[in-house]
Amino acid sequence: MSKQINAIKGMNDILPPESARWEWLEEVVRRVMAAHAYRNIRTPIMEHTQLFTRGLGEVTDVVEKEMYSFQDRADQHGHAEHLSLRPESTAGVVRAVAEHNLLYDGGKRLFYMGPMFRRERPQRGRYRQFHQVGAEALGFGGPEVDAELILLAVALWRELGIQNWRLELNSLGQPDERREHRAALIAYFEAHADQLDEDARRRLHSNPLRILDTKNPAMQALVEGAPKLIDHLGEQSRAHFAAVQAILAANGVEWRINPRLVRGLDYYNLTVFEFITESLGAQGTICGGGRYDYLIEQIGGKPAPAVGWALGVERVLELLKEEGVHTLDPVPDAYAVIPDAAALPQVMRCLHQLRALGVAVQMHAASGQGGEGMGSMKSQFKKADASGARFALIFGADELAEGQVTVKALRDGAGAQTRQSLAEPALWSDILKSTD
């Protein structure tokens, strides 16, 4: 007997009924995005490695340690492309916008849903194949769109029923302000070099902002005393940040300014934000974003402002469980009970008509080979009840002889039943769809 092949660790199957929770979340996302006039974009899960090394930076953990990258088979000229599974989707969206000149007639509001890939140790809410939902607004430079995206996420939490979250904000200013802060950071950490851990020493001159994001408890006091970027902001950056906060305040959204909220990549500027929960342990960030006005130019497109966010689907679903948010599993309207396999041609014609009329029907099917043995009425009714259907459609010999079907209630008014015409399901199909 052949050895069973299992899924790769950290790349998980999503099975019913769990998949119904995913579908429910995705439907809520589509509804909220449509209400804000964000349109769906779908980019490939594989891109040229250069897109991520140029966009994410060669010294980031994602590029250094976590990307699934490989050299493709060489073509007839011996040329082999370097490819990577996408570790995030913003770079791919920006590449698509630049490649297809989507901003030729003005800004675009876009959203995506899909799998991402990072080679890291799987843990709760963090997997090698994980899924993100993201919203990106490209071609808009004003603070109102920063605020719009934050309010979009707030609307999503409300629609999902998530209550345990807090919003943290910061401003990264503009490149010249960041350079000034960067120099101050390097000088500060050089003066305390004996307190730096290995990661901090490695990042000191290449990416000092990332030191501020350290999780090492021994460095927290040192980080708290480091120069703050917000103290280096100019008048325009401060005005932009104040405008974002004014819009949030007008909409009743609370936040706190976190001067240690940073992004280690040069293309980020001005507003950055994170939504954080206390319900998921160490993996507290459920959504993060910010303005990245310099990324499009960095990957070869025409300069254009942009801002966006991404959330982790697995983490949000875990949070829904923690908060006890109930999502309805899809159940059929009716279950077809079929005592005799000889009746299947006539029965299936009726079921086909019902489905065309918008009725969800689960048909009982034989468990053995060759379609023999439909099972006893008792066993079929057990399966009908287990399906969650509100009605059973009974295609017994007596009913079929009279050109009828018995409609029996399984939930509300359980046991009540009526006879209906087998030839004219359109006349009674609405009975089955009356869910409330």
Side-chain angles (χ1 to χ4, degrees):
M1 188 173 179
S2 298
K3 183 179 179 181
Q4 179 174 309
I5 299 175
N6 296 326
I8 299 168
K9 187 176 182 181
M11 295 187 175
N12 303 319
D13 300 311
I14 303 166
L15 310 174
E18 177 67 15
S19 57
R21 300 179 68 243
W22 286 68
E23 291 177 320
W24 173 82
L25 185 149
E26 290 162 359
E27 181 55 37
V28 173
V29 167
R30 291 187 183 96
R31 186 167 68 245
V32 172
M33 293 295 178
H36 291 74
Y38 280 68
R39 300 180 65 182
N40 185 230
I41 182 171
R42 306 184 185 205
T43 59
I45 63 170
M46 191 180 298
E47 300 272 6
H48 292 288
T49 301
Q50 185 182 20
L51 174 67
F52 302 114
T53 56
R54 190 187 298 180
L56 297 177
E58 294 187 7
V59 295
T60 60
D61 283 348
V62 172
V63 171
E64 284 185 326
K65 304 175 183 178
E66 299 173 2
M67 283 207 307
Y68 282 101
S69 300
F70 63 96
Q71 184 170 297
D72 200 6
R73 292 170 60 181
D75 61 19
Q76 59 182 346
H77 304 293
H79 176 258
E81 296 180 306
H82 291 269
L83 307 175
S84 295
L85 294 175
R86 62 186 185 191
E88 55 88 44
S89 209
T90 298
V93 169
V94 170
R95 189 268 310 149
V97 167
E99 180 177 345
H100 301 287
N101 195 26
L102 290 188
L103 303 183
Y104 79 97
D105 61 347
K108 294 291 183 293
R109 291 173 167 90
L110 306 170
F111 81 95
Y112 60 83
M113 296 187 285
M116 314 295 158
F117 304 87
R118 294 188 183 181
R119 192 180 187 281
E120 55 186 350
R121 183 173 62 85
Q123 52 188 293
R124 182 186 183 191
R126 196 175 182 96
Y127 306 104
R128 289 177 174 179
Q129 176 176 314
F130 59 101
H131 298 75
Q132 287 186 340
V133 169
E136 314 284 355
L138 304 104
F140 306 100
E144 69 278 4
V145 180
D146 301 26
E148 177 186 76
L149 273 159
I150 293 172
L151 292 173
L152 188 159
V154 171
L156 184 57
W157 306 143
R158 183 176 62 247
E159 288 295 307
L160 291 172
I162 291 174
Q163 298 180 357
N164 181 19
W165 57 266
R166 73 173 187 271
L167 172 63
E168 296 189 349
L169 297 178
N170 196 19
S171 176
L172 301 183
Q174 296 293 4
D176 56 336
E177 296 158 354
R178 291 180 66 177
R179 282 192 291 270
E180 181 182 315
H181 174 245
R182 186 179 187 275
L185 269 185
I186 292 174
Y188 172 80
F189 285 125
E190 282 181 335
H192 300 84
D194 58 326
Q195 300 179 48
L196 299 181
D197 61 18
E198 184 179 346
D199 272 350
R201 286 193 294 271
R202 181 172 57 85
R203 289 169 168 161
L204 177 57
H205 294 280
S206 63
N207 207 348
L209 268 181
R210 292 291 293 154
I211 300 177
L212 301 178
D213 200 29
T214 181
K215 301 298 187 291
N216 185 347
M219 289 185 55
Q220 294 307 309
L222 178 65
V223 166
E224 284 300 316
K228 295 178 172 60
L229 176 54
I230 201 165
D231 295 332
H232 293 263
L233 298 185
E235 183 178 344
Q236 287 187 336
S237 294
R238 290 178 182 273
H240 186 105
F241 196 35
V244 172
Q245 295 174 72
I247 295 171
L248 297 180
N251 283 274
V253 175
E254 297 181 356
W255 72 92
R256 77 177 182 90
I257 295 176
N258 178 2
R260 301 306 176 199
L261 178 56
V262 297
R263 299 286 185 265
L265 305 173
D266 290 340
Y267 58 75
Y268 277 102
N269 65 308
L270 297 173
T271 312
V272 290
F273 54 90
E274 287 187 356
F275 289 89
I276 298 169
T277 180
E278 304 296 334
S279 299
L280 298 179
Q283 303 299 330
T285 301
I286 53 173
C287 176
R291 179 162 284 281
Y292 53 93
D293 290 343
Y294 303 98
L295 179 58
I296 298 179
E297 182 179 12
Q298 192 165 314
I299 67 169
K302 295 178 182 178
V307 58
W309 56 249
L311 65 82
V313 174
E314 285 87 349
R315 292 187 192 180
V316 170
L317 288 170
E318 192 72 26
L319 182 56
L320 287 168
K321 284 184 180 178
E322 290 291 330
E323 296 201 2
V325 176
H326 179 66
T327 61
L328 293 176
D329 292 336
V331 295
D333 297 313
Y335 189 100
V337 175
I338 311 165
D340 187 356
L344 282 169
Q346 190 176 7
V347 170
M348 292 184 71
R349 180 174 181 274
C350 178
L351 301 188
H352 183 67
Q353 292 173 312
L354 285 171
R355 289 163 179 154
L357 292 165
V359 180
V361 186
Q362 181 174 335
M363 183 187 74
H364 182 78
S367 57
Q369 294 184 347
E372 297 179 0
M374 297 299 288
S376 69
M377 290 284 282
K378 182 178 180 181
S379 67
Q380 291 196 41
F381 270 108
K382 281 186 177 180
K383 291 184 178 180
D385 187 61
S387 74
R390 294 182 301 280
F391 296 94
L393 303 180
I394 305 169
F395 296 90
D398 293 342
E399 287 92 346
L400 294 175
E402 298 175 12
Q404 294 184 321
V405 56
T406 296
V407 179
K408 182 176 181 179
L410 298 175
R411 302 286 181 257
D412 297 334
Q417 59 186 48
T418 61
R419 288 279 186 98
Q420 302 294 342
S421 171
L422 192 63
E424 297 180 295
L427 298 180
W428 50 273
S429 61
D430 284 346
I431 298 173
L432 305 179
K433 294 187 287 185
S434 57
T435 57
D436 298 322

